[in-house]
Amino acid sequence: MHPAPRAVRRAVAAVTVALLATAVGCAPQPEEKASAAPSGPAAKSCAQGSLATKTSGKLTIATDEPAYEPWYKDDKPANGQGFESAVAYAVAKRLGYGKSAVVWQSVPFNKAFAPGVKTFDFDINQVSISAERKGAVDFSSGYYDVRQAVIALKGGKAARATSIADLKKLKLGAQVGTTSLDYITDVVQPARQAAVYAKNDQAKSALKNGQVDAVVTDLPTAFYITAAEVTDAKIVGQFENQGGSPEQFGLVLDKGSALTRCVTAAVDALRKDGTLARIEKQWLSDAVDAPVLK
C-alpha cells in the first residue's frame, strides 16, 4: 500500500552502504595490510618470459667485441660456449627465455657501466661490482669471485717479482676502466705511470714488444693468455682481494631497472643449486692457484 516510502527506504539504505564502503576504502589501512597490498603485482613482475624487457618477448644481452676466451669461445657470444656465454644463457633460462629468445648486442666495456640509458637488458663482460659504478648502473649479485694477476715475459725482469714491492719500479699496463688498472694504481702504486690500453689485445701486444714489463688482468684471462696467446709469458702471481669481501663480477643493468631484482634472484638461484660452480669448472678449470703477491 505504501510503495513510495518503501522505495525511499531502500534507496537510502543503498546510499548508506555505498558511503560506508567508500569510507572504508579511503581510511588508513593497518600497517601490515598496507605493506602487503603491492604483493600481487610484485609477484607477477618476475613472471617467466614476461618481463619488461627492451623488446617484448626477447632478452637483450650485451658484451664487448671481440669477446675473449675463456669467457667466450671463438668470439661468438651466441654459441653458448665459454664461461660468460654459458652463464648468460643459464640466467636467461631462469628468467623464462630460451636460447632463441636471446638477442646479443655489442657494447664497449667502458660504455656498459657509464651513466645513461642502456640499450640492453643486462651486460655480461667481466665488470667488477663497485660502489663507484653503482652510482651509474645497477648490478646483479656476483656471478664470479675473481682475483687480479700479473703477466710477464719469462725472460724479463718482471718475471722474477715475488712481492708488490718488486713491481713498483716496473712499467705496468692494463685495460682502461678495469679493476686491473685500479690494482696497479691503488695497490702497487708504481713509480712510473701505468700504460693504459683500450683493449686487452693492445696490452698483450705491448707486452710482446717490450713496451711494458708486465700487464695486469683477471686470473682466468691471465691463464688463457699465457697458455694460448703469449706462450713465452708466465703468471708472476696474483693479488689478494682488498677489503673484507671478494671482488666479484656482476651483470650490469640500467640504474633503477625493474629487472634488477629478477636477474639477481636468477643469479642467486644458479649459485645455490650449483649451476655456477659447474659452469666455472667446465670453462675456468685452469684458473687454479697462482703465487700470491704481498
Side-chain angles (χ1 to χ4, degrees):
M1 295 292 295
H2 304 284
R6 190 175 296 129
V8 169
R9 285 198 299 272
R10 287 174 182 167
V12 169
V15 170
T16 302
V17 170
L19 288 172
L20 285 172
T22 303
V24 171
C26 295
Q29 299 295 301
E31 189 172 332
E32 57 182 314
K33 289 185 180 179
S35 62
S39 63
K44 294 179 181 178
S45 65
C46 289
Q48 286 207 338
S50 302
L51 304 182
T53 54
K54 299 293 182 181
T55 301
S56 179
K58 300 288 185 180
L59 187 68
T60 303
I61 304 176
T63 195
D64 202 353
E65 186 180 5
Y68 298 108
E69 298 191 28
W71 310 107
Y72 298 93
K73 185 75 173 175
D74 300 326
D75 192 19
K76 296 177 180 177
N79 64 14
Q81 299 184 58
F83 178 76
E84 289 192 330
S85 181
V87 168
Y89 281 116
V91 171
K93 184 177 179 180
R94 276 278 175 182
L95 295 174
Y97 295 89
K99 194 169 184 179
S100 62
V102 172
V103 178
W104 284 91
Q105 187 179 99
S106 176
V107 173
F109 178 80
N110 264 354
K111 191 175 180 181
F113 51 86
V117 177
K118 307 306 176 193
T119 56
F120 51 77
D121 293 310
F122 69 76
D123 177 277
I124 179 167
N125 188 28
Q126 307 116 66
V127 181
S128 295
I129 302 168
S130 72
E132 181 182 1
R133 290 171 179 171
K134 282 183 177 180
V137 295
D138 279 1
F139 281 97
S140 70
S141 52
Y143 62 87
Y144 180 67
D145 298 349
V146 65
R147 285 194 175 191
Q148 299 298 317
V150 180
I151 308 169
L153 295 180
K154 292 174 181 176
K157 53 186 176 182
R160 299 188 292 273
T162 58
S163 67
I164 291 174
D166 293 337
L167 300 174
K168 289 185 179 294
K169 294 182 180 180
L170 302 177
K171 182 68 173 179
L172 305 175
Q175 183 177 347
V176 65
T178 59
T179 308
S180 305
L181 183 58
D182 291 340
Y183 266 73
I184 295 175
T185 304
D186 302 334
V187 178
V188 179
Q189 298 180 354
R192 302 169 66 184
Q193 186 173 359
V196 183
Y197 302 97
K199 302 278 187 181
N200 257 337
D201 277 345
Q202 296 170 346
K204 288 182 290 187
S205 295
L207 179 64
K208 289 179 182 179
N209 298 332
Q211 295 169 306
V212 293
D213 297 311
V215 296
V216 178
T217 70
D218 57 80
L219 187 57
T221 297
F223 271 99
Y224 181 77
I225 289 174
T226 54
E229 297 183 318
V230 189
T231 54
D232 57 342
K234 60 175 283 188
I235 296 175
V236 176
Q238 62 177 311
F239 294 105
E240 291 182 305
N241 282 315
Q242 303 300 300
S245 56
E247 177 189 350
Q248 293 184 314
F249 291 155
L251 306 178
V252 181
L253 301 96
D254 261 319
K255 186 67 178 174
S257 172
L259 302 182
T260 302
R261 182 173 61 84
C262 306
V263 172
T264 290
V267 172
D268 289 344
L270 294 172
R271 184 178 289 278
K272 185 176 181 180
D273 70 11
T275 299
L276 289 181
R278 289 193 294 273
I279 295 174
E280 181 177 336
K281 184 177 181 181
Q282 179 180 0
W283 295 106
L284 304 181
S285 59
D286 287 339
V288 294
D289 290 337
V292 177
L293 300 168
K294 299 182 178 180

